[in-house]
Amino acid sequence: MRNFTRRLPAALITAAAVAMVGPAGAQIAPGGGPVAYGADNSEYIDSEGVFRLIGRAEMIQGENRLRADTIDMFTTPNQRGGASGGDVREVVATGNVYFVTPIQVVRGDRAVYTAATDQVVITGDVILTQGENVMTGSRLTIVVSTNRATMDGTPSTNGSRVRGVFYPDESPARD
């Protein structure tokens, strides 16, 4: 199995998940490992190079979990000339998207991981929580290789706004 993603920043999301479709594998957690998946239904369309999980779709790797109404995994053509079964080129999670790690939860309406650009883009009503800290916006873009993330604001009457609430560490300072 080829590891097609790099290590992700712990504070951010990736929707880079793929079930076993030919030689392609999945990486939604640092360090890789086996991927468990489940859904109400699944569909494999060889001519389009897509494996689809439908209804309460989820993928689990290590301590990370990706959930959505539907998860589509698109592959590149394989070396034998078939339409699919190569490496993952894109993963699209739609409807009630959640990515859960041991320290955070990201929620959005749609998440797209594109291997060629090594970017994850989460759109819709995006909510990022870590403990009590919360950040909201309409689009979260993560460049995985550089660990750079950008949250775009939600349109409002005052323009686009990113909003957040951060709780400082209340522990006493140590000398």
Side-chain angles (χ1 to χ4, degrees):
M1 170 170 39
R2 181 172 173 248
N3 182 352
F4 63 91
T5 62
R6 294 172 187 85
R7 295 197 96 169
L8 300 178
L12 300 173
I13 180 177
T14 183
V18 174
M20 294 306 287
V21 180
Q27 300 300 322
I28 62 171
V35 175
Y37 64 89
D40 294 333
N41 296 292
S42 67
E43 178 179 30
Y44 179 64
I45 307 167
D46 187 54
S47 63
E48 297 175 22
V50 64
F51 179 71
R52 180 172 293 144
L53 298 172
I54 307 162
R56 297 183 302 165
E58 70 176 348
M59 305 189 88
I60 301 167
Q61 184 175 44
E63 295 181 302
N64 293 354
R65 180 176 53 174
L66 173 67
R67 278 189 347 204
D69 294 338
T70 303
I71 300 172
D72 290 337
M73 287 127 318
F74 298 91
T75 60
T76 60
N78 66 36
Q79 293 178 353
R80 296 178 306 278
S84 64
D87 294 328
V88 172
R89 63 180 169 84
E90 187 174 70
V91 176
V92 179
T94 55
N96 299 305
V97 174
Y98 286 87
F99 185 75
V100 181
T101 73
I103 61 169
Q104 319 191 262
V105 176
V106 179
R107 186 238 172 263
D109 299 324
R110 177 178 166 93
V112 178
Y113 170 78
T114 306
T117 61
D118 200 28
Q119 283 191 345
V120 177
V121 178
I122 302 95
T123 56
D125 182 21
V126 179
I127 303 169
L128 172 67
T129 61
Q130 183 174 1
E132 292 182 290
N133 301 324
V134 178
M135 179 182 274
T136 63
S138 63
R139 177 182 168 110
L140 176 63
T141 303
I142 304 151
V143 179
V144 178
S145 61
T146 63
N147 295 329
R148 183 179 179 129
T150 305
M151 177 78 84
D152 295 326
T154 302
S156 70
T157 56
N158 297 328
S160 295
R161 305 279 293 170
V162 173
R163 298 176 107 26
V165 177
F166 298 97
Y167 294 86
D169 184 5
E170 298 292 330
S171 62
R174 294 188 179 138
D175 292 323

